[in-house]
Amino acid sequence: MKLSRQLVVGSLAVLVLSACSSTPTQRRQAKNDFAYLDTKDFKQWVLPQDATPQFYPDYDIPQGDFKGGIGPVVDIRPPQQVLELIPGARAERQNGEVTLWMIRKDEADKVWQVAKTMMQEHNIKALQENANHIETDWVTWVSEDEDTEMGSRYELSRVEANNRYGFKISLIDWREGGKQKPVTATNKERYNAFMTNLVTSRYDQDVRAEAARKAQELVKQIPVTMGSDRSGFPVIIARTPYDVLWQRLPDLLPKMGFKIEERNQSQGTMKAKYASPDDEFWNDIGVKPMNLGSGTYTFLFGDLGNRTSINVTNSAGKPVEEELLKEMVPVLAAIVDEKKTAQQ
């Protein structure tokens, strides 16, 4: 099951949950019938006269007042998992409630702020709020697994225990089809997990955005020089990790006049057709034109840890001359500097 967003007219928070095809009842209930519900009650075993009974405790049915659904009421859907998208956080589930535990207070502070941001983005209003507690307004869930809309209210709170810092989500009110009802244990656990996953997914979104920003910073500061590979052959050396450089090549190479035709990241190859840019390009970057003829070339990239080697072969598969590589160095460096200036 995945979570998606839906735009609605009004002030209510509406979240849409999608699932596999089939009817809601089929997704919640076991297949076949429920004939076992018609099983007759057990009768007391009548022993023959003078018989000595032998009892084995292996299959004793526990005695007690057990509460729970039977037949079509039993929900067979697997438990909704909490997405572990916050590095170092541990999810604890008790009585259907979810607590995310972190070691450092600053991490818990960040999760708390992410939760508030998520509420704003999903139009979830706060009825009560202070530094350590938020009580939400109704959140409406539209799920293909359900026959009607589900509504829930939550209490978000910050907790501390055993030198750990926690973020707790508790479902405090429930309604189905607009009518308030007691929440079942299954739905309490399920919809607490859904709300928790909204927070963890939003946190992960921020982490990915920050990683992309740092990658951009690395690309803006790539020293490009001549060097040699492990075999001693001349190559261009870009002082940035292979994965970082690879992400930017589709933008860098076309500016140098290379039209990319094929690329294979696992093999570190990129095939491109070269046509020299016009005079305006060379004047703008302040570098003399490369003495490279038009044609198809293959770039070979090597992962050297925190550096990347770059070699170029012609259409016959032979390495271009060292002088041509040396001519490419200032051009590539100028393109990187141009991106740095533009992004600043």
Side-chain angles (χ1 to χ4, degrees):
M1 177 175 289
K2 62 182 180 180
L3 187 66
S4 57
R5 297 175 61 183
Q6 172 177 301
L7 294 177
V8 295
V9 178
S11 59
L12 292 177
V14 178
L15 300 165
V16 182
L17 303 169
S18 60
C20 304
S21 60
S22 64
T23 67
T25 300
Q26 289 175 328
R27 286 190 287 270
R28 293 196 311 270
Q29 293 181 0
K31 289 185 177 181
N32 301 323
D33 56 32
F34 301 99
Y36 70 89
L37 296 176
D38 300 324
T39 301
K40 295 180 180 180
D41 292 337
F42 292 118
K43 295 181 180 180
Q44 183 67 35
W45 184 271
V46 179
L47 294 172
Q49 189 175 4
D50 299 329
T52 301
Q54 298 290 332
F55 296 100
Y56 298 91
D58 304 62
Y59 304 104
D60 280 354
I61 298 176
Q63 300 297 313
D65 183 19
F66 300 105
K67 297 180 180 179
I70 59 174
V73 178
V74 177
D75 193 330
I76 66 167
R77 291 174 295 180
Q80 180 63 37
Q81 299 298 309
V82 174
L83 300 178
E84 298 182 358
L85 299 175
I86 301 178
R90 185 177 69 85
E92 179 181 84
R93 305 178 78 164
Q94 288 186 347
N95 300 321
E97 299 175 339
V98 181
T99 304
L100 299 176
W101 290 106
M102 285 143 281
I103 301 299
R104 301 205 315 263
K105 185 177 183 300
D106 61 323
E107 293 175 340
D109 291 343
K110 183 177 180 181
V111 173
W112 183 256
Q113 187 57 49
V114 166
K116 295 171 69 174
T117 300
M118 179 277 297
M119 288 178 59
Q120 293 176 352
E121 292 176 345
H122 288 281
N123 201 26
I124 301 174
K125 294 185 177 180
L127 298 182
Q128 297 181 19
E129 181 177 354
N130 57 42
N132 298 308
H133 172 270
I134 297 175
E135 184 176 313
T136 75
D137 199 354
W138 286 102
V139 178
T140 299
W141 303 89
V142 179
S143 173
E144 296 177 0
D145 277 354
E146 310 290 359
D147 296 305
T148 185
E149 288 185 355
M150 303 297 187
S152 51
R153 293 200 313 112
Y154 296 89
E155 180 182 72
L156 313 182
S157 54
R158 306 176 71 170
V159 294
E160 293 185 30
N162 301 322
N163 295 320
R164 297 181 303 167
Y165 303 89
F167 170 77
K168 185 177 182 180
I169 294 183
S170 306
L171 191 153
I172 57 176
D173 268 329
W174 179 256
R175 66 186 182 189
E176 298 178 16
K179 297 181 180 180
Q180 285 190 244
K181 295 183 178 182
V183 63
T184 64
T186 298
N187 280 333
K188 183 179 181 181
E189 181 179 89
R190 190 173 187 81
Y191 284 86
N192 264 328
F194 283 144
M195 179 57 70
T196 304
N197 288 342
L198 285 178
V199 177
T200 60
S201 296
R202 186 61 180 80
Y203 186 100
D204 182 64
Q205 180 182 333
D206 284 351
V207 170
R208 291 176 180 272
E210 178 64 14
R213 185 192 66 78
K214 289 182 177 179
Q216 289 282 1
E217 289 296 323
L218 288 173
V219 171
K220 290 191 295 184
Q221 303 172 16
I222 301 178
V224 182
T225 59
M226 280 297 296
S228 58
D229 61 14
R230 293 186 175 97
S231 301
F233 293 105
V235 292
I236 299 172
I237 298 294
R239 298 187 181 278
T240 190
Y242 172 79
D243 289 339
V244 174
L245 180 64
W246 183 269
Q247 293 178 11
R248 305 311 306 163
L249 289 172
D251 186 36
L252 295 175
L253 291 184
K255 291 188 175 183
M256 297 173 60
F258 292 95
K259 182 180 179 181
I260 299 173
E261 297 180 334
E262 299 176 12
R263 53 182 172 174
N264 188 316
Q265 184 174 0
S266 62
Q267 295 182 7
T269 60
M270 195 169 287
K271 186 177 180 181
K273 182 174 290 186
Y274 178 72
S276 181
D278 55 25
D279 293 340
E280 182 180 357
F281 167 80
W282 300 109
N283 291 331
D284 288 343
I285 66 173
V287 177
K288 67 177 183 178
M290 295 186 296
N291 189 27
L292 185 67
S294 299
T296 300
Y297 296 87
T298 300
F299 286 81
L300 309 175
F301 301 95
D303 188 348
L304 304 178
N306 62 348
R307 300 174 302 157
T308 304
S309 65
I310 306 172
N311 205 347
V312 184
T313 61
N314 58 25
S315 58
K318 296 182 178 180
V320 299
E321 296 179 359
E322 183 177 355
E323 287 302 316
L324 288 176
L325 292 179
K326 290 181 178 179
E327 291 180 3
M328 285 187 185
V329 169
V331 179
L332 183 57
I335 294 296
V336 172
D337 287 341
E338 180 186 65
K339 286 183 62 61
K340 177 179 178 181
T341 302
Q343 292 175 3
Q344 287 177 339

